[in-house]
């Protein structure tokens, strides 16, 4: 039967092509098979900001590097800089959103899957440099004058027990800093990591203010909104681990902050129910 061998080889080739297709599909990065991930951050230099129409900052550079690893392409991701209140509201109500960089609290643990930490900072009260009073604690600070904070910031959560009439809440950290500099409040509550960048935007030197009271030490993470594929979250986790183990993460951290990152190895904190 002379036709059997050609038929056999034809079937073998077809099966081989099908198998190769499965292998190729299996080797594709998870991102290529999923709904596009939306990347949201806020104007919070040096973590993230916009300069001459381009997004920049430590967290932006990190997310870009991670995106290249996860997608296995050199395509530049679209990173949106939005007011924090709007960004976190969108991430709370929609799947496939990566929000960065954010701290963790009880409520957010129920809403997001976290990868990190990617940075750390202290939350402090700042006074004008010409104000020589240093409060011993938060209650003494609140008794001494009003405190400026911006909406949905870690500072707002830390000050939730302070009477509303003592808090001046704005939509942007720059507005809060301006309230302090114009002597409309006694204190400005802000993450240390962002103070210099905010003051620079207001054409003010770092010496315009001084820290008077530390309220908390926070670690910052990448937050993936509820409904995002766990395989996608794990892919970003593995990419961050790869950057840490190669030394690229430490180099990037030093480039932006002039210090060595004293952070633990990245992990995934899956949302709680």
């Amino acid at each position: 039967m002379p036709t059997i061998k050609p038929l056999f080889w034809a079937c073998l080739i077809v099966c081989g092509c099908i198998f190769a297709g499965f292998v190729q599909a299996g080797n594709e990065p998870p991102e290529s098979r999923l709904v596009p991930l939306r990347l949201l951050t806020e104007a919070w230099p040096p973590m993230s900001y916009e300069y001459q129409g381009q997004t920049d900052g430590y967290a932006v550079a990190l997310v870009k590097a991670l995106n290249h690893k996860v997608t296995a392409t050199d395509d530049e991701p679209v990173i949106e800089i939005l007011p924090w209140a709007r960004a976190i509201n969108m991430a709370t109500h929609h799947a496939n959103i990566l929000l960065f960089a954010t701290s963790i609290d009880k409520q957010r643990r129920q809403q997001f899957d976290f990868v990190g930490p990617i940075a750390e900072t202290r939350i402090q009260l700042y006074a004008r440099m010409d104000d020589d009073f240093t409060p011993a604690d938060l209650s003494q600070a609140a008794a001494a004058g009003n405190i400026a904070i911006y909406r949905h910031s870690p500072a707002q959560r830390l000050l939730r027990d302070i009477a509303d009439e003592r808090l001046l809440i704005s939509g942007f950290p720059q507005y809060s800093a301006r309230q302090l500099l114009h002597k409309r409040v006694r204190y400005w509550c802000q993450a240390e990591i962002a103070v210099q960048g905010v003051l620079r935007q207001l054409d003010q030197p770092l010496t315009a203010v001084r820290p008077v009271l530390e309220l908390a030490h926070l670690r910052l993470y990448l937050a993936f909104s509820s409904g995002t594929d766990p395989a996608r979250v794990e892919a970003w986790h593995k990419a961050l681990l790869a950057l840490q183990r190669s030394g690229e993460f430490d180099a990037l951290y030093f480039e932006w902050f002039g210090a060595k990152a004293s952070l633990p190895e990245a992990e995934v904190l899956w949302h709680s129910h």
Side-chain angles (χ1 to χ4, degrees), residues 36-254:
L37 188 65
R38 193 169 181 182
L39 310 177
L40 304 183
T41 188
E42 66 171 329
W44 195 40
M47 296 296 289
S48 48
Y49 59 92
E50 189 171 8
Y51 179 69
Q52 295 183 344
Q54 300 295 320
T55 53
D56 204 353
Y58 161 73
V60 169
L62 177 62
V63 165
K64 286 182 177 180
L66 294 173
N67 185 77
H68 292 329
K69 282 190 172 295
V70 170
T71 62
T73 71
D74 292 328
D75 296 341
E76 282 293 304
V78 175
I79 296 176
E80 301 174 65
I81 294 184
L82 302 173
W84 185 249
R86 180 181 171 194
I88 199 166
N89 181 64
M90 292 169 63
T92 302
H93 293 92
H94 300 281
N96 298 303
I97 289 179
L98 167 55
L99 182 69
F100 66 96
T102 177
S103 59
I104 299 177
D105 60 21
K106 184 176 180 180
Q107 182 179 1
R108 290 179 185 176
R109 282 288 280 118
Q110 298 173 350
Q111 298 171 324
F112 299 96
D113 296 320
F114 293 91
V115 170
I118 63 167
E120 58 186 350
T121 188
R122 293 181 294 172
I123 305 296
Q124 302 194 109
L125 285 187
Y126 289 85
R128 296 182 307 278
M129 187 59 74
D130 60 1
D131 186 344
D132 59 4
F133 176 68
T134 299
D137 53 34
L138 186 54
S139 61
Q140 192 177 70
N146 291 355
I147 303 172
I149 56 176
Y150 76 99
R151 190 170 289 105
H152 294 305
S153 66
Q156 185 175 9
R157 296 191 300 277
L158 290 171
L159 301 179
R160 59 182 175 271
D161 293 331
I162 301 298
D164 290 343
E165 61 269 19
R166 285 296 186 184
L167 300 178
L168 186 61
I169 303 174
S170 62
F172 298 91
Q174 294 84 355
Y175 294 169
S176 297
R178 191 177 290 118
Q179 298 299 319
L180 174 68
L181 296 171
H182 291 172
K183 300 184 178 182
R184 294 171 186 159
V185 297
R186 187 76 182 264
Y187 302 109
W188 169 37
C189 192
Q190 177 60 45
E192 177 188 40
I193 205 170
V195 169
Q196 186 171 5
V198 170
L199 291 174
R200 186 181 294 119
Q201 290 181 325
L202 300 177
D203 294 322
Q204 295 290 329
L206 185 59
T207 54
V209 303
R210 68 183 185 92
V212 294
L213 184 65
E214 181 176 333
L215 301 181
H217 179 275
L218 299 179
R219 284 176 171 164
L220 304 173
Y221 292 76
L222 306 176
F224 293 82
S225 60
S226 180
T228 302
D229 192 319
R232 162 174 272 165
V233 177
E234 188 55 49
W236 281 75
H237 171 226
K238 289 179 178 177
L240 181 54
L241 282 176
L243 283 186
Q244 287 181 323
R245 292 168 181 174
S246 70
E248 295 173 76
F249 179 87
D250 283 342
L252 184 65
Y253 201 92
F254 188 85

